[in-house]
Amino acid sequence: MKDKKFETQAIRSQMERSQNNEHSTPLYLTSSFVFDTAEEMRAAFNDESEDFIYSRYTNPSNNEFVNKVCLLEGAEAGVALASGMAAIYTTFMALLKSGDHIVSCSSVFGATHAIFTKYFPKLNISHSYFNIKDPNSIEKLIKPETRFIYLETPTNPAIELIDLEFVASIAKKHKVLLIVDNCFATPYLQQPIKLGADLVIHSATKYMDGQGRVLGGVVVGKKELVNDIYLFGRITGPSMSPFNAWVLSKSLETLAVRMDRHCENALFVAEALEKNPALENVSYPFLNSHPHHSIAKKQMKAGGGIITITIKGGYETAKKFLDKLKMIKISPNLGDTRTIVTHPASSTHSKLSEEERLSVGIVPGLIRISIGLEHKDDILNDILQALK
Ligand SMILES: *Cc1c(COP(=O)(O)O)cnc(C)c1O
């Protein structure tokens, strides 16, 4: 499958057919597996065979999903976990020990920020933040005890970008790992491992499922790192449900066509809103006006499905706008077939101080719109009527 194109890999990499010769692969809802002999069970437990043992460890449905993500990201190995946060936390706990330090972009997902600030101190693990706008500040933050650089690009919710090849070169120079949360871009638009990242993490809950049905997370990358993460997950238990893996494996079959449409709709809405007098700013990586447009062109196939708008008049006007939307719903999720809006300053990022919010571009009038797959005219018209 390695010689095939993305779309073909996403559709054709399936587990082997069973004796029933099914066309679409079945769901393996079983918590454990049986052995014909005591010797077979002994061999499986001692890593001398690939036989399935127990679904907290591995399961055929999970393997199909993981193998597919590995192909799409160009990774050697991977592990599926119960949610994006399970993938992030399991990765951290498998790789870090007391006394370690990490360097991260400050505009990380809210729950990831909470791990750094609330739980890392208990474990004597420290972190230093860099601003995504200032890649040259990263090198100065690296210490002898630094284990990895962690980042998201495009960032949530301000849609800022960083040059992955540049950060990978710093990581290599200082012999630290580079870990990328690639949730916003998906492997269809950006493949960080090909640009030098060691591990890539996804909240599969977002675009990978893309239809707002299941939670899931996955981490892929270098085999020896993934083995440690797999073992930690297998022992501590945040495994992905086989049902969710089965849903996600099928969802990936349509990732490319969905992303093409998300990107087409998002660019259309962003361009149409750019000159709107009610707005202070419209941000989308593939707009010429985006400050990181050249990075976007270099490392992304298209701009993704998320745009942000900044409404004149701050929070009060932003609230009125949200309440006036008719079709588009307010929800914390993103990457869905349905267009979704969020007001980050009052919800997902309300636990940050005003100063912290402003430093990562979250002004009171900022609204994140996850552009869905409805007709682009209907999405735009709902936004325009609410802006009036
Ligand atoms: C949603 C999200 C996560 C967390 O994923 P869950 O599946 O909700 O646990 C992590 N990173 C980013 C960028 C996200 O958008």
Side-chain angles (χ1 to χ4, degrees):
M1 274 291 160
K2 282 216 170 77
D3 60 326
K4 295 283 193 297
K5 299 268 198 293
F6 187 97
E7 291 81 348
T8 314
Q9 291 174 335
I11 292 167
R12 291 285 172 174
S13 67
Q14 290 177 289
M15 69 178 93
E16 275 176 36
R17 291 194 167 94
S18 77
Q19 73 277 15
N20 295 320
N21 220 15
E22 61 279 338
H23 188 203
S24 178
T25 52
L27 163 57
Y28 283 82
L29 265 190
T30 176
S31 47
S32 66
F33 300 81
V34 293
F35 297 92
D36 288 336
T37 65
E39 169 53 24
E40 279 178 20
M41 182 150 166
R42 186 208 61 79
F45 268 88
N46 288 280
D47 298 325
E48 290 164 26
S49 82
E50 305 248 297
D51 287 351
F52 292 103
I53 301 172
Y54 190 60
S55 289
R56 170 153 47 76
Y57 304 2
T58 50
N59 171 289
S61 298
N62 294 45
N63 282 7
E64 181 179 276
F65 168 64
V66 170
N67 291 342
K68 208 176 264 196
V69 178
C70 287
L71 267 173
L72 301 181
E73 286 282 6
E76 286 171 8
V79 195
L81 285 311
S83 66
M85 286 322 301
I88 290 169
Y89 187 71
T90 304
T91 301
F92 291 167
M93 286 305 99
L95 299 183
L96 296 171
K97 61 178 188 319
S98 171
D100 280 349
H101 169 258
I102 65 131
V103 172
S104 167
C105 67
S106 51
S107 45
V108 280
F109 187 68
T112 310
H113 168 77
I115 292 178
F116 295 159
T117 52
K118 203 167 146 79
Y119 297 106
F120 271 11
K122 285 195 200 181
L123 305 167
N124 188 32
I125 297 166
S126 57
H127 73 283
S128 304
Y129 275 145
F130 64 90
N131 194 306
I132 200 101
K133 289 188 195 70
D134 188 12
N136 291 319
S137 64
I138 298 175
E139 200 160 7
K140 295 189 279 287
L141 299 173
I142 299 175
K143 308 179 194 184
E145 57 275 23
T146 304
R147 181 86 168 102
F148 57 75
I149 301 171
Y150 185 85
L151 61 86
E152 295 173 20
T153 178
T155 59
N156 175 31
I159 316 293
E160 295 174 320
L161 280 68
I162 193 162
D163 186 330
L164 284 169
E165 266 181 321
F166 174 76
V167 185
S169 73
I170 296 173
K172 282 220 167 61
K173 182 172 156 196
H174 293 273
K175 299 195 168 56
V176 299
L177 303 172
L178 172 60
I179 306 178
V180 177
D181 179 336
N182 200 29
C183 172
F184 269 44
T186 79
Y188 182 61
L189 302 180
Q190 170 176 284
Q191 293 158 327
I193 288 171
K194 294 185 179 160
L195 302 172
D198 298 285
L199 289 170
V200 165
I201 300 180
H202 280 281
S203 165
T205 314
K206 312 296 168 54
Y207 288 107
M208 283 197 174
D209 175 36
Q211 289 143 89
R213 301 170 296 190
V214 296
L215 290 174
V218 60
V219 48
V220 299
K222 296 233 166 77
K223 202 172 187 145
E224 78 265 20
L225 300 171
V226 168
N227 279 347
D228 288 345
I229 300 164
Y230 162 71
L231 256 182
F232 186 82
R234 153 177 169 163
I235 292 166
T236 56
S239 320
M240 176 179 278
S241 141
F243 177 78
N244 288 8
W246 176 80
V247 170
L248 287 165
S249 184
K250 308 231 178 277
S251 304
L252 285 177
E253 295 186 13
T254 57
L255 181 68
V257 282
R258 287 187 285 108
M259 289 316 292
D260 278 340
R261 184 63 68 83
H262 278 297
C263 294
E264 182 192 323
N265 285 359
L267 183 63
F268 171 80
V269 172
E271 281 177 344
L273 293 178
E274 223 185 347
K275 299 269 147 29
N276 193 292
L279 301 179
E280 242 161 52
N281 186 42
V282 176
S283 183
Y284 184 68
F286 266 49
L287 284 181
N288 286 325
S289 60
H290 192 283
H292 304 137
H293 183 61
S294 62
I295 302 175
K297 285 277 181 183
K298 183 176 149 199
Q299 68 192 21
M300 293 177 75
K301 187 185 170 89
I306 314 283
I307 72 169
T308 60
I309 57 175
T310 307
I311 300 210
K312 285 182 189 162
Y315 182 34
E316 285 312 312
T317 336
K319 235 164 68 180
K320 273 194 207 131
F321 166 75
L322 292 180
D323 295 344
K324 284 252 153 60
L325 288 165
K326 288 183 180 144
M327 175 183 84
I328 301 171
K329 291 286 175 260
I330 310 169
S331 169
N333 200 13
L334 61 94
D336 196 282
T337 49
R338 286 158 282 257
T339 300
I340 289 167
V341 286
T342 326
H343 180 252
S346 68
S347 60
T348 50
H349 292 72
S350 60
K351 304 247 169 6
L352 300 187
S353 69
E354 175 89 30
E355 195 189 342
E356 285 173 321
R357 274 199 296 272
L358 292 179
S359 78
V360 293
I362 305 171
V363 294
L366 183 89
I367 287 168
R368 182 184 78 192
I369 311 179
S370 169
I371 301 285
L373 304 180
E374 305 95 335
H375 195 284
K376 57 190 178 186
D377 293 342
D378 292 327
I379 301 170
L380 179 64
N381 287 339
D382 196 22
I383 296 171
L384 289 176
Q385 65 79 24
L387 281 176
K388 279 195 195 136

